[in-house]
Amino acid sequence: MASDENTLFAFYDLTVSPLSYDFVSFLIIAEEARLKEALEDIHIVVVPFDEGVGHWNNTQFGLDHSMWRLNNVVFPLTRLLPSCKGFTICNSREQAMPFYKRPAGNIFPEGYTIERPIERHHTGWSVLAANSGRNLQHLRATPEARNYARQWIEEHAGGRKVVALTLREARFTNNRDSDPGVWSAFARQLTEKGFFPVILRDIDTALESPPREYQEFTFFPEGVFNLELRLGLYEEAHICAFVANGPAQVCFYNKNIPFLYQVTGDWLNDSPTPFNRIGIDVGDHSPFANRFQRWIWKEQDPDNLMEEFNRLDRDINESLSDHRFEAELITDADNRRSLTRMGELILNWIASIFSGSPTIQELELVEKCLELSRESEEKARLQQLLIREKTFQQVNNHMHENDLVSALKTLESLDKDIELTPVHCLRFGMILDALGQYAKAAELYQRTIDSGDTSPGVLFRLAMAYRNIPDLDRATTVLEAMLHAGMRSTRVVLELIDLYAVTRTPAAAIELCDFWRNQGLSSPEIEVLRQRLATAA
């Protein structure tokens, strides 16, 4: 083992970092830091969080489950990085201090202290390094894991090429899950073509009886509960296929695993895609992938999967026959994007967040893109966009402090210099609304709509701003248009009935109430209003 002078001490601090597969990105960026400093090995130091201040992902688990994740996800991942020679789990933050105070002072992340922890599990750091030309495929299955995987394959596959199918069957964000009908049909087509599909279920379901769609296929539960064995099977398989899940992240950094990565759920359907958060856009392959590692940006469909599989299978076989395969396992430079483009994607994601969620890491990533980029014109535009988002963070802070006047002043100064996004316009309008400046609020809501956001919530806010001006005719027009466009809700009907009673007649309002009641839209509030109108009439 190397002396301390040749060891990088990498602090994975659970105050700011999750007990999840996200640890793999931390591991990869730590390895990049080791290589940059020409050190011999890495020692991982896991630092616990004080009660009540841990990363949100950790605080939702009890102690037993947290320790299970630590021992069965985080620790086994270190076995896949050949340079990782040490792993320490501290019982307290104080216990981590002797590692931090080692004389050599080789600390990762740069600037980390026990008192002010820094996180580096954000996959955006891996994307940044890959877009900068770094080869990040540092992970490998252990030789013994591959031996056991070969033994299992010889016993079960009957000489056929193995295709490992990893399912997602989670208890949360189910729209990202593997569709049983699609993946079982895909497995059936593989079998018909002479391949041997092997299914690895989600860890929460691996010990349950398989759904009827999968009962004809072979499962590999051993690999679900043993990460080294899982990676051994992946490396020995002909091709692997996943939806968006944790195990797939491990394969991103292993050149020996040809795979298809099916983008699902909000990753596929939301605009912008949440992958913008790490600098990847719709249609991209990850910049750390080689030419045999591909993303699929289509809805789950067995024929789509089979088409992509056939294409990948053909390319692998041609590469093997031409003796090019090993040479083509390097990162594919065609997958890289400029750093300014990456920064714009991240800012695009930040600008789409209405809640004002913490974006410290994302803003730091954009600043790093600016620092490393050599494209002067594009850098100037990115710099302007970064200023806009930082200013908008100030707006969020003012709003969290309930200081609407300061938030309004900040937004007004921003609006003079930089074009606002739909989210910015909407937030601006809401502040004006809350301050009783209804005409200006309506202008901002209209700008939001003109920028492309025609969601029911924005239209309804516009109608209510018109009502409060008061510009009742315009308010009526907006609500009627919403109903005609299929944006039907009892709240919209209630407000429109109330407006009809003022701008037309009580009889017209009652007639409107009865019409929408017959369409199935009514509520106790609507019925009370109807009774009041009938009494007045």
Side-chain angles (χ1 to χ4, degrees):
M1 178 177 289
S3 64
D4 283 359
E5 289 75 13
N6 291 311
T7 297
L8 179 69
F9 288 89
F11 290 80
Y12 195 68
D13 198 310
L14 301 183
T15 301
V16 292
S17 305
L19 288 166
S20 71
Y21 277 100
D22 289 334
F23 173 70
V24 71
S25 187
F26 173 89
L27 202 59
I28 293 300
I29 298 305
E31 174 69 354
E32 284 294 300
R34 180 192 72 82
L35 293 170
K36 181 180 179 181
E37 299 300 324
L39 300 174
E40 291 184 22
D41 60 32
I42 293 176
H43 187 116
I44 300 294
V45 181
V46 178
V47 184
F49 60 89
D50 290 329
E51 185 175 354
V53 294
H55 185 277
W56 67 267
N57 189 271
N58 303 331
T59 55
Q60 65 181 314
F61 304 127
L63 178 62
D64 289 343
H65 188 68
S66 294
M67 290 305 298
W68 193 94
R69 280 176 166 252
L70 186 59
N71 292 323
N72 292 277
V73 176
V74 174
F75 172 64
L77 282 168
T78 66
R79 297 275 297 142
L80 307 177
L81 182 66
S83 67
C84 189
K85 304 299 184 184
F87 185 85
T88 298
I89 303 173
C90 298
N91 291 324
S92 67
R93 301 187 69 78
E94 291 73 22
Q95 196 177 57
M97 193 61 75
F99 292 97
Y100 179 74
K101 291 185 175 179
R102 295 286 173 108
N106 301 319
I107 303 297
F108 178 83
E110 183 180 353
Y112 173 88
T113 68
I114 305 296
E115 296 78 17
R116 296 178 65 86
I118 296 173
E119 66 99 326
R120 279 295 180 269
H121 66 272
H122 194 300
T123 308
W125 295 107
S126 299
V127 175
L128 176 65
N131 280 330
S132 300
R134 300 295 302 171
N135 179 5
L136 304 186
Q137 297 196 316
H138 301 308
L139 302 186
R140 299 290 182 272
T142 59
E144 198 67 0
R146 293 193 70 163
N147 287 338
Y148 282 123
R150 277 194 293 271
Q151 180 181 330
W152 187 91
I153 289 170
E154 289 169 3
E155 183 69 24
H156 292 83
R160 292 170 289 173
K161 291 180 179 179
V162 168
V163 180
L165 308 180
T166 301
L167 306 181
R168 186 184 193 276
E169 305 165 284
R171 305 191 192 283
F172 53 92
T173 53
N174 301 115
N175 62 348
R176 300 178 185 175
D177 284 356
S178 312
D179 184 314
V182 169
W183 286 80
S184 60
F186 176 44
R188 208 164 290 116
Q189 291 186 43
L190 290 169
T191 303
E192 291 169 358
K193 289 201 66 173
F195 295 97
F196 183 63
V198 176
I199 295 176
L200 291 87
R201 298 192 69 189
D202 198 294
I203 199 164
D204 288 333
T205 60
L207 299 179
E208 299 173 0
S209 298
R212 57 179 179 78
E213 292 95 337
Y214 298 117
Q215 288 179 356
E216 66 194 88
F217 303 111
T218 301
F219 291 82
F220 188 60
E222 299 89 341
V224 174
F225 292 97
N226 186 307
L227 188 56
E228 287 186 61
L229 191 55
R230 180 194 288 269
L231 263 288
L233 179 74
Y234 288 165
E235 286 199 24
E236 291 297 321
H238 177 53
I239 291 173
C240 299
F242 315 84
V243 296
N245 60 18
Q249 292 183 57
V250 186
C251 299
F252 292 167
Y253 307 103
N254 186 323
K255 71 175 186 177
N256 298 321
I257 303 175
F259 64 74
L260 297 173
Y261 180 73
Q262 169 72 64
V263 182
T264 52
D266 54 328
W267 301 108
L268 178 65
N269 297 315
D270 280 8
S271 181
T273 170
F275 277 119
N276 277 187
R277 178 175 176 261
I278 63 173
I280 291 177
D281 202 10
V282 173
D284 286 350
H285 300 290
S286 69
F288 27 79
N290 62 46
R291 69 179 296 253
F292 307 117
Q293 299 173 325
R294 302 172 183 179
W295 289 33
I296 303 174
W297 290 90
K298 302 176 183 177
E299 291 291 347
Q300 297 183 71
D301 177 86
D303 294 332
N304 284 341
L305 284 165
M306 200 66 210
E307 179 183 350
E308 296 292 341
F309 176 88
N310 287 335
R311 186 178 294 116
L312 179 55
D313 175 56
R314 181 198 63 216
D315 291 346
I316 290 172
N317 291 332
E318 288 178 357
S319 184
L320 287 169
S321 65
D322 294 340
H323 306 289
R324 295 180 285 110
F325 186 74
E326 286 297 325
E328 292 184 325
L329 294 181
I330 62 171
T331 301
D332 189 344
D334 289 341
N335 293 335
R336 296 177 194 152
R337 297 291 178 264
S338 72
L339 296 184
T340 51
R341 174 59 176 156
M342 177 182 172
E344 286 185 8
L345 290 173
I346 295 172
L347 290 176
N348 189 42
W349 177 81
I350 294 174
S352 72
I353 300 174
F354 187 78
S355 64
S357 300
T359 56
I360 296 171
Q361 280 298 298
E362 287 77 27
L363 291 174
E364 189 177 344
L365 276 164
V366 176
E367 289 173 341
K368 200 67 177 177
C369 287
L370 275 168
E371 177 187 328
L372 299 177
S373 175
R374 298 175 181 176
E375 304 159 309
S376 56
E377 277 189 34
E378 290 80 1
K379 282 181 72 171
R381 169 176 164 75
L382 184 59
Q383 180 69 55
Q384 187 181 50
L385 293 174
L386 180 59
I387 291 170
R388 181 184 71 184
E389 293 311 323
K390 284 188 170 181
T391 305
F392 201 63
Q393 294 302 305
Q394 296 175 18
V395 174
N396 287 335
N397 292 337
H398 290 317
M399 292 188 70
H400 290 155
E401 294 165 1
N402 231 6
D403 186 355
L404 298 185
V405 174
S406 295
L408 179 60
K409 288 180 179 178
T410 305
L411 269 174
E412 286 175 337
S413 65
L414 183 65
D415 195 28
K416 292 176 183 176
D417 302 320
I418 300 175
E419 180 183 355
L420 299 182
T421 70
V423 171
H424 296 147
C425 289
L426 179 57
R427 181 62 64 90
F428 199 170
M430 291 174 63
I431 294 172
L432 290 164
D433 232 341
L435 292 172
Q437 299 183 34
Y438 303 120
K440 288 184 177 180
E443 290 178 14
L444 268 295
Y445 295 144
Q446 189 61 57
R447 282 174 62 182
T448 305
I449 293 164
D450 292 342
S451 298
D453 186 350
T454 56
S455 59
V458 178
L459 290 167
F460 188 77
R461 287 185 182 279
L462 176 62
M464 294 303 97
Y466 282 143
R467 185 196 65 183
N468 291 329
I469 288 173
D471 188 339
L472 303 187
D473 288 337
R474 283 188 176 183
T476 301
T477 299
V478 173
L479 293 175
E480 287 176 336
M482 289 180 68
L483 291 170
H484 291 155
M487 302 177 191
R488 300 174 180 180
S489 75
T490 55
R491 181 72 189 278
V492 173
V493 171
L494 177 65
E495 294 294 343
L496 189 56
I497 293 169
D498 202 25
L499 284 168
Y500 267 38
V502 176
T503 61
R504 300 189 182 182
T505 64
I510 292 171
E511 183 180 347
L512 181 68
C513 178
D514 292 342
F515 173 81
W516 286 109
R517 178 200 280 165
N518 293 334
Q519 301 297 313
L521 275 178
S522 188
S523 69
E525 292 84 357
I526 291 175
E527 294 304 319
V528 168
L529 177 57
R530 187 191 186 286
Q531 183 62 41
R532 180 167 59 81
L533 292 169
T535 301

